[in-house]
């Protein structure tokens, strides 16, 4: 049996004095894709933030590659990539500058690689454009261009399809599935109905686990 790359043990989360979920046990191996589903307020984004170390659990533990997440603070950026619901880019910087800054957190990228990544998400010619002049969909594409660089194996994505057009959605579905097929691991939330998923796809409905 393949050892889990990402694991939760008796995980619990409380927000605003309300217990969202408890006793959550997950084991995810490389090659898998987990879609976290559930109604608004069920804890989807909170779970993702727990998995990447941006929040502390009320109880339980998150383990990455067999070790507690809390003991790997200095290594997290090299092992996982987090893209939140907001694009997370700086409006005064250009698309290239944003990616150079973001990639410095785990694996610095050169200009050629960054331009290729922007080309892959349909932003050829926008490399030197300040991001505050871009549309919401284009800003989302700048953020997602990180997935086309030398990214870590674990991708944790909160609503990655937000603001994308039909072509962008289809392209991202293919890219996420390919990442899993090549040994990566994806955990994400979305209100989008997935049309393409890898063999290792499964779903966790937090609405069925209300504490």
């Amino acid at each position: 049996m393949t050892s889990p790359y990402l694991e939760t043990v008796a995980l619990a989360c409380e927000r605003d004095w309300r217990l969202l979920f408890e006793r959550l046990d997950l084991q995810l191996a490389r090659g898998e894709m987990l879609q976290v589903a559930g109604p608004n307020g069920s804890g989807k984004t909170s779970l993702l933030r727990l998995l990447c170390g941006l929040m502390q659990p009320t109880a339980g533990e998150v383990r990455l590659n067999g070790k507690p997440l809390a003991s790997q603070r200095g290594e997290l950026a090299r092992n996982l990539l987090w893209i939140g619901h907001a694009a997370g880019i700086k409006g005064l910087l250009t698309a290239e500058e944003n990616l150079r800054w973001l990639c410095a957190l785990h694996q610095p990228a050169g200009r050629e690689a960054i331009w290729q990544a922007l080309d892959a998400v349909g932003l050829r010619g926008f490399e030197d454009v300040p991001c505050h002049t871009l549309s919401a969909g284009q800003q989302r594409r700048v953020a997602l261009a990180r997935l086309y660089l030398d990214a870590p194996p674990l991708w944790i994505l909160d609503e990655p399809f937000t603001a994308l057009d039909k072509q962008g959605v289809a392209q991202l579905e293919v890219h996420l599935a390919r990442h899993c097929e090549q040994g990566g691991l994806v955990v994400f939330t979305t209100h989008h109905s997935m049309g393409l998923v890898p063999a290792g796809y499964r779903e966790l409905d937090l609405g069925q686990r209300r504490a």
Side-chain angles (χ1 to χ4, degrees):
M1 179 179 177
T2 304
S3 299
Y5 187 76
L6 180 65
E7 183 178 11
T8 68
V9 181
L11 198 67
C13 178
E14 180 181 300
R15 293 294 303 273
D16 300 324
W17 300 281
R18 183 168 66 92
L19 194 59
L20 299 178
F21 54 81
E22 61 181 340
R23 298 187 297 275
L24 179 61
D25 296 311
L26 288 173
Q27 291 191 333
L28 297 169
R30 293 177 65 151
E32 292 190 293
M33 174 184 284
L34 178 70
Q35 179 177 350
V36 181
N40 291 340
S42 60
K44 300 185 297 295
T45 294
S46 293
L47 175 57
L48 265 57
R49 292 176 67 85
L50 287 170
L51 294 180
C52 60
L54 294 175
M55 285 176 51
Q56 295 301 310
T58 303
E61 184 177 68
V62 178
R63 297 173 185 167
L64 182 63
N65 211 15
K67 298 187 295 184
L69 198 68
S71 70
Q72 304 182 59
R73 295 296 178 190
E75 308 166 31
L76 288 185
R78 294 193 295 272
N79 291 311
L80 66 86
L81 187 154
W82 157 259
I83 299 179
H85 186 269
I89 59 176
K90 296 183 179 294
L92 294 179
L93 299 182
T94 67
E96 179 185 345
E97 289 169 340
N98 265 288
L99 288 177
R100 190 180 301 278
W101 171 70
L102 290 166
C103 290
L105 297 173
H106 58 86
Q107 181 65 46
R111 164 169 278 195
E112 182 177 352
I114 288 174
W115 282 34
Q116 288 177 352
L118 289 170
D119 185 25
V121 296
L123 289 177
R124 174 182 288 180
F126 290 87
E127 299 88 354
D128 296 324
V129 175
C131 286
H132 71 86
T133 67
L134 302 179
S135 69
Q138 288 171 325
Q139 291 185 23
R140 170 61 57 176
R141 287 171 183 264
V142 172
L144 294 173
R146 297 169 65 192
L147 304 178
Y148 291 83
L149 292 161
D150 187 11
L154 171 58
W155 298 352
I156 300 179
L157 314 173
D158 192 9
E159 296 289 349
F161 297 96
T162 297
L164 294 182
D165 58 19
K166 186 175 181 180
Q167 180 180 354
V169 166
Q171 179 183 359
L172 182 56
E173 283 191 352
V174 170
H175 192 60
L176 296 182
R178 183 178 296 125
H179 179 65
C180 293
E181 290 163 357
Q182 294 175 346
L185 172 59
V186 176
V187 182
F188 71 108
T189 66
T190 185
H191 288 95
H192 161 70
S193 180
M194 298 292 290
L196 175 67
V197 294
Y201 170 86
R202 54 189 167 118
E203 182 177 308
L204 169 67
D205 188 345
L206 289 180
Q208 298 178 1
R209 299 188 57 92
R210 282 190 177 274

